[in-house]
Amino acid sequence: MNQLDLVRELAEKAETKIVMLVADGLGGLPLEPGGRTELETAATPNLDRLAARGTSGSSIPVLPGITPGSGPGHLGLFGYDPLEFKIGRGALEATGIGFELGPEDVAARGNFCTLDAAGLITDRRAGRIASEESFRVVERLQAVKIPGVETFVRPVKEHRFVVVFRGRGLDGGVADTDPQAVGVAPLAPAPLSESARRTAEVAEEFVRQARAVLADEPKANGMVLRGFAAKPALPSYAELYGLRAAAIAVYPMYKGLARLAGMTLVGQPQSLDEQIAELARHWEQFDFFFLHFKYTDSTGEDGNFAAKVGRIEELDRALPGIERLGPDVLIVTGDHSTPSRLKSHSWHPVPTLLVADSCRPDGLAAFSERECLRGGFGLFPAKHLMLLAMAHAGRLGKFGA
Amino acid sequence: MNQLDLVRELAEKAETKIVMLVADGLGGLPLEPGGRTELETAATPNLDRLAARGTSGSSIPVLPGITPGSGPGHLGLFGYDPLEFKIGRGALEATGIGFELGPEDVAARGNFCTLDAAGLITDRRAGRIASEESFRVVERLQAVKIPGVETFVRPVKEHRFVVVFRGRGLDGGVADTDPQAVGVAPLAPAPLSESARRTAEVAEEFVRQARAVLADEPKANGMVLRGFAAKPALPSYAELYGLRAAAIAVYPMYKGLARLAGMTLVGQPQSLDEQIAELARHWEQFDFFFLHFKYTDSTGEDGNFAAKVGRIEELDRALPGIERLGPDVLIVTGDHSTPSRLKSHSWHPVPTLLVADSCRPDGLAAFSERECLRGGFGLFPAKHLMLLAMAHAGRLGKFGA
């Protein structure tokens, strides 16, 4: 019996509220041997107080040593095994710009490129045209019409765009058309299986019409398509957990990931204060709240240790505003580590804290990578966190008699 | 998606070196309640210094409570699930005497036995003939010739030998011929499936000819065959990890296990010093080095606590010679525990240490069974160690976007 079937069977209704605060890229590293991590350096009186009351641990997003992207990182936190459920590149890119994929959609990432008179690629990124120019080119592509299929083209940034085909029987099994070289023509979209033949034909027709429309463009007169993918079939929070789940996020990527899990997007917050205001405003309507805080990751990616410390302290100051609402379960975690020292996501476990009245105390006096190693949840796969959330919220029945 | 597919997908090239030093049977037990283990008793200034810099943990070779043999113990360390990949007894015995199995080989363990005039077993071990006598008998068996099949017979020790059949379409699915009793005849080699019919016939013909050749032997005039097995199909280190891997081992068994994983055997070292000299000599040619140190196991098997302590100290003194080469990742671990108190392999977790610049410090001040329990890797399956090695060596890309 797998975890999803188990939780489906055991989930019970209760009048309890769960808040999961995800500080993106929370975990870190010291800058030099013997030093402290960002979290150990930050003044975090609220997190430390909560750690003394709750139970802590170190979550492993995928497997030891595996560095996750945002997609697998969040899937784990939401209780889906990231090795089982994958979000294809095209679907993730569409999700990241806030395009809501439907069940009949196949999305692909597009790059504009420059073709010569013979149709051979001279610039794989169309001179990295400015986003504004790309917006204009994408607008021209709205003229493309394919019988029996709805087509959506959306700009991303510079030469990058997303195309979504919507229609019955479409299939993401189409090969990339990027030859990864100049001096050659883009490849034809080739089906990887019989069931993707129609989708490949649709993509080919799209490219044919697009080429005609863009023939007079000086730079963006061609394109390559990559990462064809349908929306992943994730069971929803409502169906799995019986939770009315809300997502309160600033950035489209995390809104999109939450939508894939069936969460309802709440508000248009632009800051943590606004996110907490939305939380308060929608408190009665939902049982589960996913709050996403981006800046612990972006400062880490920038390699800005001090700025990451500052963002952790900002997060800490926001906690009383959440506590005031009286969540039955309050979780603080991250989707992965982003040590400023590495300027990138990493594989290191993520400090994780759960506070509820039913917590077994583990004697921690602070919230940090090192302290969490001695925490009551130990080192645990991130996909188990939702089981712990549900249990501490009194929302999981007994397994077996 | 399983671990091997995952690592195959994520493996990246880098100019980094990984050294895995396997102290066979490293973990131990105190001799009496309240006492110290061998590792806690030994003076290990280098291991302790490295533990303060690196990340430690306790590896579980197979599953909690499961005592592994050398085969599964090493498979786990090399990143193969020992419950999925099995090395059949015959293949392990051939490997253990340094016979390099090919893809068309089926190996079996043989025991010489004594038969009476009616062909019934009177001594299942042929009076435990001396190894020298066995060598002579094995030499006579070189006369056996089977059409279409190459046959190799090699002595092991006393009455034990190995036979390898090489030919197209052979299959390890043949039942043991040992009736496990005296007063009865050896069983005929019976195929366990249709695809092993030919192999069973080959084995039967081998036994028929061997009986004729050995008819005048006073003791070793018969034989039983056990553990028919082909070479396990392990994906290689090169294919899986993109690593040029070298094995620097003294004993044939460990050389053989490394060869099964596609490692290159380096040198003919007879001591740890010679192993480190080989390491230095081949430093530029390889990315991964497996160094095997036998004596922590053999002293444990002997029940010689003090000698095991001494061997651990010998290992500790050798570490600076490895560090001097500047490995990007240095691992010290064992394939299982061999507590002197038990005089045998055991199921207890194995103290494991990984040192790299990208380690997250876990605050340990020493390297021991007890300290490792508080280490940053926690209790972890041995098969995950290679993921950690690859990650810390900057050789694993991001999973998902």
Side-chain angles (χ1 to χ4, degrees):
Chain A
M1 185 180 218
N2 72 29
Q3 179 176 328
L4 299 186
D5 289 335
L6 183 68
V7 78
R8 224 181 243 120
E9 180 181 313
L10 302 184
E12 290 178 352
K13 296 285 176 192
E15 294 294 311
T16 52
K17 307 281 186 191
I18 303 169
V19 174
M20 182 186 280
L21 176 57
V22 175
D24 204 302
L26 177 60
L29 284 176
L31 285 180
E32 62 267 323
R36 295 173 171 209
T37 67
E38 297 91 331
L39 186 53
E40 289 168 345
T41 304
T44 54
N46 293 305
L47 283 167
D48 296 345
R49 173 177 49 78
L50 289 170
R53 229 187 92 201
T55 307
S56 297
S58 306
S59 67
I60 297 174
V62 179
L63 280 178
I66 301 300
T67 297
S70 299
H74 279 83
L75 287 194
L77 294 179
F78 296 163
Y80 309 103
D81 186 336
L83 290 171
E84 182 185 348
F85 293 96
K86 288 197 204 163
I87 309 177
R89 298 264 163 178
L92 192 71
E93 190 90 334
T95 296
I97 59 166
F99 186 93
E100 185 158 340
L101 290 172
E104 296 192 329
D105 293 356
V106 166
R109 306 161 78 187
N111 280 5
F112 289 118
C113 63
T114 312
L115 303 177
D116 66 14
L120 308 182
I121 299 173
T122 59
D123 187 321
R124 293 179 58 231
R125 295 182 183 83
R128 279 199 190 274
I129 53 172
S131 296
E132 300 70 36
E133 192 175 345
S134 186
F135 284 20
R136 181 185 57 74
V137 176
V138 162
E139 195 52 40
R140 296 184 73 183
L141 290 179
Q142 309 303 327
V144 174
K145 300 289 174 206
I146 302 170
V149 172
E150 263 190 288
T151 304
F152 306 87
V153 192
R154 297 285 182 272
V156 177
K157 197 179 172 186
E158 297 173 344
H159 59 288
R160 288 160 42 211
F161 64 96
V162 167
V163 57
V164 178
F165 304 115
R166 179 171 295 169
R168 298 190 78 168
L170 297 185
D171 184 312
V174 176
D176 292 355
T177 74
D178 188 349
Q180 304 269 358
V182 296
V184 293
L187 306 171
L192 298 172
S193 69
E194 193 48 42
S195 60
R197 181 167 300 281
R198 163 116 175 94
T199 315
E201 288 165 3
V202 165
E204 190 158 18
E205 174 62 15
F206 173 79
V207 172
R208 197 189 60 75
Q209 291 189 36
R211 288 270 306 270
V213 169
L214 305 181
D216 59 351
E217 285 291 333
K219 290 179 181 164
N221 66 342
M223 63 181 57
V224 292
L225 300 177
R226 296 186 298 154
F228 287 85
K231 174 183 175 175
L234 296 176
S236 76
Y237 256 53
E239 191 256 313
L240 262 187
Y241 303 115
L243 290 171
R244 299 170 301 168
I248 311 178
V250 174
Y251 287 81
M253 170 68 83
Y254 311 97
K255 292 181 182 177
L257 289 167
R259 282 294 303 144
L260 292 177
M263 297 187 202
T264 301
L265 302 182
V266 160
Q268 297 279 352
Q270 295 303 311
S271 67
L272 192 49
D273 282 349
E274 289 180 27
Q275 285 175 282
I276 292 173
E278 293 293 347
L279 180 69
R281 193 169 300 135
H282 296 88
W283 191 248
E284 296 305 326
Q285 283 164 259
F286 297 95
D287 312 304
F288 178 92
F289 300 87
F290 159 56
L291 267 74
H292 181 266
F293 183 67
K294 175 69 178 169
Y295 307 103
T296 31
D297 177 62
S298 44
T299 49
E301 293 255 12
D302 291 345
N304 194 333
F305 190 97
K308 187 171 175 187
V309 169
R311 290 301 195 166
I312 292 170
E313 294 180 343
E314 175 186 349
L315 188 83
D316 188 80
R317 284 191 298 274
L319 286 167
I322 299 174
E323 291 180 78
R324 209 167 292 133
L325 297 167
D328 300 279
V329 175
L330 171 57
I331 292 169
V332 182
T333 186
D335 55 339
H336 53 76
S337 292
T338 305
S340 327
R341 213 189 102 199
L342 301 182
K343 298 185 184 180
S344 66
H345 293 196
S346 81
W347 62 90
H348 300 88
V350 183
T352 296
L353 163 64
L354 186 152
V355 188
D357 283 347
S358 51
C359 275
R360 177 185 285 169
D362 51 15
L364 298 199
F367 183 62
S368 73
E369 290 86 350
R370 229 170 294 215
E371 286 291 305
C372 283
L373 285 179
R374 303 192 296 110
F377 298 144
L379 274 159
F380 67 97
K383 68 176 176 179
H384 291 166
L385 185 58
M386 274 303 297
L387 297 179
L388 292 165
M390 291 285 286
H392 285 86
R395 286 178 171 269
L396 275 188
K398 187 159 66 176
F399 175 62
Chain B
M1 184 178 221
N2 71 30
Q3 179 176 327
L4 298 186
D5 289 335
L6 182 67
V7 79
R8 222 180 245 120
E9 178 180 313
L10 301 182
E12 290 179 351
K13 296 283 177 197
E15 296 294 310
T16 52
K17 307 279 186 193
I18 303 169
V19 174
M20 182 186 281
L21 175 57
V22 176
D24 205 302
L26 177 60
L29 284 175
L31 285 179
E32 62 269 322
R36 295 173 171 207
T37 67
E38 296 91 331
L39 185 52
E40 288 169 344
T41 304
T44 54
N46 293 305
L47 283 166
D48 296 345
R49 173 177 49 78
L50 289 169
R53 229 187 92 201
T55 306
S56 299
S58 307
S59 67
I60 298 174
V62 181
L63 280 177
I66 303 301
T67 298
S70 299
H74 280 83
L75 288 193
L77 294 178
F78 296 162
Y80 309 103
D81 187 335
L83 291 171
E84 182 185 346
F85 293 95
K86 287 193 204 166
I87 309 177
R89 296 270 160 176
L92 191 69
E93 191 90 334
T95 295
I97 58 167
F99 186 93
E100 185 157 339
L101 290 172
E104 297 192 329
D105 293 356
V106 165
R109 306 161 80 186
N111 280 3
F112 289 118
C113 62
T114 311
L115 303 177
D116 65 15
L120 309 183
I121 299 173
T122 58
D123 187 323
R124 292 179 59 231
R125 294 182 183 85
R128 279 198 191 275
I129 52 172
S131 296
E132 299 70 35
E133 191 174 344
S134 185
F135 284 19
R136 180 185 57 73
V137 176
V138 162
E139 195 51 42
R140 297 186 72 183
L141 290 179
Q142 308 303 327
V144 174
K145 300 289 173 207
I146 303 170
V149 173
E150 263 190 288
T151 304
F152 306 87
V153 192
R154 298 284 183 271
V156 178
K157 196 179 172 187
E158 297 173 344
H159 59 289
R160 287 159 43 210
F161 66 95
V162 167
V163 58
V164 178
F165 304 115
R166 178 170 294 168
R168 298 191 80 166
L170 297 184
D171 185 311
V174 176
D176 292 355
T177 74
D178 187 350
Q180 305 269 356
V182 295
V184 292
L187 306 171
L192 298 171
S193 70
E194 192 49 40
S195 59
R197 183 168 300 283
R198 162 119 174 94
T199 314
E201 288 165 2
V202 164
E204 192 158 13
E205 174 61 15
F206 173 79
V207 172
R208 198 190 59 76
Q209 291 190 34
R211 287 273 302 272
V213 169
L214 304 182
D216 59 352
E217 284 290 335
K219 291 177 180 163
N221 66 342
M223 63 181 56
V224 291
L225 301 176
R226 296 186 298 154
F228 286 84
K231 176 183 174 173
L234 296 177
S236 76
Y237 257 52
E239 191 255 314
L240 263 186
Y241 302 117
L243 291 171
R244 298 171 300 167
I248 311 179
V250 173
Y251 287 81
M253 169 69 83
Y254 311 97
K255 292 183 182 176
L257 289 166
R259 282 293 304 145
L260 292 177
M263 297 186 202
T264 301
L265 301 183
V266 159
Q268 298 278 353
Q270 296 303 314
S271 68
L272 192 49
D273 282 349
E274 288 181 27
Q275 285 174 284
I276 292 172
E278 293 293 348
L279 180 69
R281 192 169 300 136
H282 296 88
W283 190 248
E284 295 306 325
Q285 284 163 260
F286 297 95
D287 311 305
F288 178 92
F289 301 88
F290 159 55
L291 266 75
H292 181 267
F293 183 68
K294 175 69 180 169
Y295 308 103
T296 31
D297 177 62
S298 44
T299 49
E301 294 255 12
D302 290 344
N304 193 334
F305 190 97
K308 187 171 173 186
V309 169
R311 289 301 195 167
I312 292 170
E313 293 179 345
E314 175 186 348
L315 188 83
D316 187 81
R317 284 191 298 272
L319 285 167
I322 299 175
E323 290 180 78
R324 211 166 291 133
L325 296 167
D328 300 279
V329 175
L330 171 58
I331 293 169
V332 182
T333 186
D335 55 339
H336 53 75
S337 293
T338 305
S340 326
R341 209 186 106 199
L342 301 182
K343 299 187 184 181
S344 67
H345 293 198
S346 80
W347 61 91
H348 301 88
V350 183
T352 296
L353 163 63
L354 186 153
V355 188
D357 282 347
S358 51
C359 276
R360 179 184 282 167
D362 51 15
L364 298 198
F367 183 63
S368 72
E369 290 86 350
R370 228 170 295 214
E371 284 293 303
C372 283
L373 286 179
R374 303 191 297 109
F377 297 144
L379 274 160
F380 68 99
K383 68 176 176 180
H384 289 164
L385 185 58
M386 274 303 298
L387 296 178
L388 291 164
M390 292 283 288
H392 285 85
R395 286 178 171 270
L396 275 188
K398 189 159 67 173
F399 175 62

